[in-house]
Amino acid sequence: YYRTAFDVTPAMLEKGALFVRFEGVDYKAHVFVNGAFLGSHEGIFAPFEFEFTRHVRLGKNVLLVKVENDFIMLGNSAQTGFLGGEELRGDKVYAAVGPCWDEPEVGWHCCPPGMGIYQEVTIEARPRIHFHDLFVRPLSEEGKTEAWIEVFGCDYPPQKIAMELSVHGQNFSTAAMTVPNAEIAAKLRPVLQGVNLFKIPLAILQPRRWSPEAPWLYQIQAKLVDEKGQVVDAARRQFGLRMFRMEYLEEPKGRMYLNGQGIKLRGANTMGALQQCVIRKDWQQLIDDILLAKITHMNYMRLTQMPVQAEVYDYCDRLGLMVQTDLPLFGCVRRNQFCEVVRQASEMERLVRSHPSNILVTYINEPFPNSMDAPQRNLTRDEMTRLFESADMAVRLANPDRVIKAVDGDYDPPGPGMPDNHCYPGWYNGHGIDLGMLHKGHWQRVKPGWVYGCGEFGAEGLDSIALMRRHYPKSWLPQTAAEEKTWTPDEIFGAQTGKMHYNFFETPDTFSDWVEKGQAHQAWATRLMTEAFRRDRRMHSFAIHLFIDAFPASWMKAIMDYDRQPKPAWFVYRDALTPLAVSLRTDRRAFFAGEPIEPEAWVCNDLHDAPAGARLHYQLECDGRVLQAGSTAATIPALDAAYQGTLPLRAPEPPSRTQVTVRLGLLDAGGKVLHDTALNMDVFPRTKAALRRIFVVGVPQGKAAQLATDLGATPVFEGLMQAEDAILIDDVQAFRKVETQVTEAVRAGARAVFLLLPQGKYPIAGGDVTVGSGDKSDVMMGVTAAGLHFVSRATGHRLVEGFRPEDFKFWYDDKLDHPAPLLRLPAFKAVGWEPILLSFNAMAAGWKADGQGHWCICQIELAGRTAGNAVATIFAQRLLEASSPIGR
């Protein structure tokens, strides 16, 4: 309950009518003045108001607001939002983003739904007839403009009113440039009780079009004049003249046009940060945040899952940043809330329709199949489609020109209009599409004939230590050197790095290492995915998740923290969004001496023109020396990406492991560098392995035989196993038939290596080996059907001596011709075994001594990987006890 007192003066009563106006209340508001019930409103974001003239008195009056909350349709707990506790589901129209509140355990995190009056409340004295809303609708295709004037009448008997309209330049100097003709201006119009809509054509000669590069704004000024010629009310509204449309008829469908020119959307999600600027009335920070987006080369932001305050749109209008506004729906819609959702869709459009910055709206984030497993409560997908159709009618009644993308991140496709899929394979392993396939140029399955979008992608990067020490609760952080040694990000409420890092990088040893390695991975994933999207000619819209954190530790996928300090991923993203950019793509990161290095060269252009006479320059560097270089003419399409060819480079002949750098630059006709990029790669000296005989327990077409062949050995399938043999086993049943012979050979000095054991329990070397567990609580949870691109070599085992932290990551697959997971089967646990490679806290490879020899299990894929991965070759040779030193 909110209660406050306010004074009413005679001058206020002389105006004619008193209103109480709310800019936004979360969630249901029931409003009383002096004990009289005025009305109710449901929803989070929309302004609403009530007249209370007949209940007022001179002097002190009392405003009482009862605010009710509910559990959301997606489900949340009373204690901790989405992050734990018993989950309950209600009727609240809410997604997963609000303005948050300043309390670290729950409130800092953007997902938990809150409640309360979080926007302005005003008591307003108005004339009995007054302006309700002004909306200027550009009819660019017809060369006309139309003013939609809404006038509110408080009384039942109709009254007649005239209007005077003028339009001025708001951010450029000009006199009034358009006035309706005298007949229109002087015409008396009947105003009945409630809202009355009048559509009046305007003539704006030589209009200045609004665009991100030139955000020209006009201001319409309006007066209401009564029959006596007296001005009754006046109002004004800023607006911009721009035309944004989406192609629905000609293929490829989904292409977008701003003022008649094609455009691709490159941006970021925002969750709470801009709303907090308005709540604090920190207008300079709001301006800075919008400008930070622009200097990141973003041309739009997705106002994720929540319409925001009007002030945000005002500043985006003025600073030239396009935005997408989402209705607050996530996952599902309660059947009984169908009509309420349609009503709120209309409110959303009325909130944003006057703002040229708002180019499109979306209805739902990530709808799930089977009505989120509750079809008895939630709309089915067919019913959801009817909801979209109904919302379309409501939205286009308020604004016939609105571009609508019904779904952002569709988990139950296809939906109407432009397909959009969220994609997090660089963090949630295998999410949406395998990371190697994405890097190669593939995308998720979408409707034929359409371009598409990716409304969310990204990875978590921890906040800096300075920010943590400045803002975090002390209980989240190590306070002594001893505590640092055992600290993990699991101590940070809501952080994911502690649990998810096993998918992509080794467990850090220190507090600072956690930050450095986590941010480095975020930057790596950001570059890989963003450049893949830029090269994808059908990817017409994408937004990284997330831009600026609303609070410390709020949602650490943000590439800029709460203090507005950029993480390494921000620099990577800014570079990858350069409108005219070059990109290098290679499926391999390591080579042997003398091998060809042939990365693909691309030009990605989001502009409508291209410099004449531009050339590509490339070179291969090592230790500060240029080893090879070349130049060729560039082919630069407008608003498109183009493959330029492969660079004809060759690895040098270093005496030990060496890093080389490939550089690619785009130069204009005068030699000025327009954009450049670089990739680092490793070159290993060639080694001839002193391979022992490889005895194969399996079939000639199996993985064991293939690996032996890959390493240049002739596999032996029959005969007497000897102490000097390496024994590869990929068939457990075949092994049981010769187990005694293998055991004797191992104890005499042989090495028996099991390849790719399926999930289960196996009696090997006198004990049980457990591969996987099938238990979701097992720390091997990261090994999914998608497989893992990374395992850790941080075991201290002599077989991985000299390898570097990311050597067992993102391996090339010769058969698929792109990087593919190297661990597709679960890791294993076994008592008495020594780990060689780790996945989570289980072994991806390990061995056990037995007599003079060793038993080994290797769950990572080596067969078919040695041709394109120097590390795979060297590790396989070592595993089979061949001689192959590795440079440090």
Side-chain angles (χ1 to χ4, degrees), residues 74 87 140 146 151 174 180 189 202 283 351 362 572 640 725 822:
L74 179 66
E87 184 179 88
S140 301
E146 191 172 67
V151 179
T174 179
R189 294 170 172 79
L202 301 176
W283 309 120
L351 177 68
T362 299
V572 168
D640 205 350
D725 283 339
L822 54 85

Side-chain angles (χ1 to χ4, degrees), residues 423-431 435 457-462 495-505 518 521-522 524-525 529 557:
C423 190
Y424 287 96
W427 190 244
Y428 306 120
N429 182 59
H431 181 276
L435 196 59
F457 70 100
E460 185 169 279
L462 294 174
Q496 298 176 346
T497 296
K499 296 179 176 64
M500 300 300 298
H501 78 278
Y502 299 100
N503 291 331
F504 297 105
F505 59 93
H521 171 73
Q522 183 189 37
W524 178 83
M529 295 191 68
K557 290 183 180 68

Side-chain angles (χ1 to χ4, degrees), residues 687-709:
T687 60
K688 290 186 177 181
L691 287 172
R692 302 184 302 179
R693 188 173 69 154
I694 300 179
F695 200 104
V696 173
V697 179
V699 297
Q701 295 78 26
K703 295 288 188 181
Q706 181 184 355
L707 178 58
T709 303

Side-chain angles (χ1 to χ4, degrees), residues 26-28 67-72 92 113-116:
D26 182 3
Y27 174 64
K28 289 183 180 179
V67 181
E68 294 179 352
N69 204 14
D70 193 4
F71 294 96
I72 69 176
K92 185 174 182 175
M115 69 174 295

Side-chain angles (χ1 to χ4, degrees), residues 125-136:
R126 304 177 186 170
R128 301 292 290 175
I129 297 178
H130 56 266
F131 286 110
H132 185 256
D133 192 31
L134 305 180
F135 167 48
V136 177

Side-chain angles (χ1 to χ4, degrees), residues 256 261-264 540 605-609 637-641:
M256 292 166 283
Q261 289 189 308
I263 191 169
K264 294 183 178 181
H540 277 228
N605 187 15
D606 285 348
L607 304 175
H608 299 109
D609 51 21
L639 201 67
D640 205 350

Side-chain angles (χ1 to χ4, degrees), residues 871-885:
V871 170
T873 301
I874 296 168
F875 179 73
Q877 291 171 346
R878 290 183 176 191
L879 194 64
L880 299 177
E881 218 171 31
S883 174
S884 62

Side-chain angles (χ1 to χ4, degrees), residues 282-332:
D282 191 344
W283 309 120
Q284 189 56 55
Q285 187 64 69
L286 179 60
I287 291 170
D288 287 351
D289 288 352
I290 295 170
L291 293 178
L292 283 170
K294 291 178 71 75
I295 67 171
T296 315
H297 298 309
M298 300 180 195
N299 60 9
Y300 96 112
M301 280 199 295
R302 178 187 174 209
L303 302 174
T304 312
Q305 304 171 41
M306 174 73 77
V308 297
Q309 301 100 317
E311 292 89 341
V312 176
Y313 299 102
D314 284 338
Y315 279 99
C316 288
D317 291 345
R318 295 164 187 170
L319 296 170
L321 183 68
M322 298 182 292
V323 295
Q324 166 189 324
T325 297
D326 296 354
L327 196 64
L329 293 176
F330 192 159
C332 62

